[in-house]
Amino acid sequence: MTDRYAVFGNPIGHSRSPRIHTAFAEQTGEAISYSAIEAPVTDFAVAWRAFAEAGGRGANVTVPFKQAAFALAQVLSPRAQLAGAVNTLSLGNDGLLHGDTTDGVGLVRDLQAHAAPLAGARVLLLGAGGASRGVIEPLLEAGIASLTVANRTVSRAEELASRFAARGEVSGCGFEDVAGPFDLVINATSASLVGDLPPLPGEIFAAQGLAYDMMYAAEPTVFLRWAAEQGARSVDGLGMLIEQAAESFWLWRQVRPDTAPLRELLRREL
C-alpha cells in the first residue's frame, strides 16, 4: 500500500519537495507518493482536512502556512512549541495530528556539512519571520556563543529574541543597529526572492566569516554576492532544503535517507 504525503504552500509550483521525497522513497524502498498542493491563503485547515480524508498521512508546510499548521496540530514537539511554527505534519498511530519543525535541524546539518564555525560562533540572523523561528533553538544547541536577530521592524526582532532568551545569549535589533563582527550571517528574509538586499552596514563579517542564504538559485543571490565582496565565504540554502526534508522523511517513515547523492543531483539540475 502506498502512503500519501504532500507539501502545502501558496505559491507552490516552484517546490522541489516532490522531487526530493520521491528520490528518498526510491533510495530507501519506501512505498510513498508525494505531491504539491496549493492551498487557498485563508483555508489551509480546509485543504489539509480534505487531503487527510483522501488518505493523506503527512505533509510538509511552507510559506505562508507554518503558523496555521502550528495552530492546527493537536500534539506539538517541544521544538515546534518553542518556535511557534510547524513545517511537518504527521497523522500518528494515536489518531492525532502531530506538528514538528525540521527547518533548524536542516540548517545546522547543512552548516556542519560545509564546516561552518558553530561552536563559540557569533551569529547574526536576518529576519524575524517564520523562517527564523524554527532555526534559533538548534543554533543555540549547536553551541554558538551569541545570536543577534535583526529585522526591519525592531519590535518583532526583540519579541523573537525574548522568546529564546532563557536558552542562551539572544538579542534583537533593527538592521541599522547591527554591530559586528559576526562569524556567521544567515539571511532568513525573503529579500533574495526579489533580488533585494537587507539594509546592512558594511564590515559585519569576522575574518573567515560565512554568509548563508536560506534561498538558493543557479547563480549566487544578491546577498551572497554582496557577502563575497566583503570577503566572506558563502553558502546557499539548497542543502538546508534537502536536510530538513530528510528529517521530515525520518519522522514519517523512521528511515533516514542518504542526502549526499541528492545534493549533487539537485545542484546539477539548478
Side-chain angles (χ1 to χ4, degrees):
M1 179 179 174
T2 299
D3 290 332
R4 294 182 61 195
Y5 298 89
V7 57
F8 286 81
N10 189 323
I12 200 61
H14 65 286
S15 176
R16 292 181 179 269
S17 292
R19 176 82 172 89
I20 293 170
H21 283 280
T22 298
F24 285 164
E26 291 172 352
Q27 179 195 111
T28 60
E30 292 292 301
I32 74 164
S33 67
Y34 191 104
S35 58
I37 297 175
E38 184 167 290
V41 172
T42 57
D43 281 331
F44 169 72
V46 172
W48 160 259
R49 289 185 182 114
F51 176 69
E53 288 169 3
R57 297 296 307 165
N60 290 124
V61 183
T62 188
V63 177
F65 300 126
K66 291 184 180 182
Q67 285 170 289
F70 175 87
L72 189 63
Q74 296 164 289
V75 181
L76 292 165
S77 70
R79 60 189 179 189
Q81 196 157 20
L82 185 59
V86 158
N87 83 331
T88 305
L89 290 171
S90 311
L91 281 174
N93 294 329
D94 55 7
L96 299 177
L97 182 60
H98 292 244
D100 205 339
T101 177
T102 66
D103 287 332
V105 172
L107 172 64
V108 169
R109 285 184 184 153
D110 192 37
L111 286 168
Q112 290 169 337
H114 288 92
L118 289 178
R122 296 156 295 179
V123 180
L124 173 63
L125 180 62
L126 305 176
S132 296
R133 284 176 171 268
V135 304
I136 295 178
E137 184 183 29
L139 285 169
L140 294 171
E141 289 181 343
I144 66 172
S146 65
L147 177 71
T148 300
V149 181
N151 194 60
R152 198 177 302 273
T153 304
V154 178
S155 60
R156 291 191 66 189
E158 292 175 338
E159 183 278 327
L160 186 57
S162 67
R163 190 181 187 101
F164 293 89
R167 301 299 179 101
E169 186 178 330
V170 187
S171 60
C173 67
F175 288 130
E176 67 279 3
D177 297 318
V178 168
F182 296 96
D183 303 297
L184 172 62
V185 180
I186 301 169
N187 182 22
T189 74
S190 59
S192 292
L193 291 174
V194 293
D196 201 1
L197 185 69
L200 295 169
E203 300 181 357
I204 62 171
F205 291 97
Q208 300 181 328
L210 176 68
Y212 190 99
D213 199 332
M214 288 189 184
M215 303 300 165
Y216 63 91
E219 300 297 327
T221 65
V222 171
F223 170 73
L224 292 183
R225 292 200 301 271
W226 171 81
E229 292 170 0
Q230 313 304 310
R233 190 161 62 96
S234 61
V235 176
D236 70 16
L238 181 61
M240 175 182 172
L241 175 69
I242 295 169
E243 294 296 341
Q244 65 81 26
E247 181 73 3
S248 294
F249 193 89
W250 183 84
L251 290 172
W252 294 328
R253 312 301 296 183
Q254 295 295 290
V255 175
R256 193 171 296 282
D258 179 6
T259 57
L262 200 55
R263 281 172 172 268
E264 297 175 7
L265 179 62
L266 290 189
R267 182 65 66 185
R268 291 197 301 267
E269 291 179 354
L270 285 180

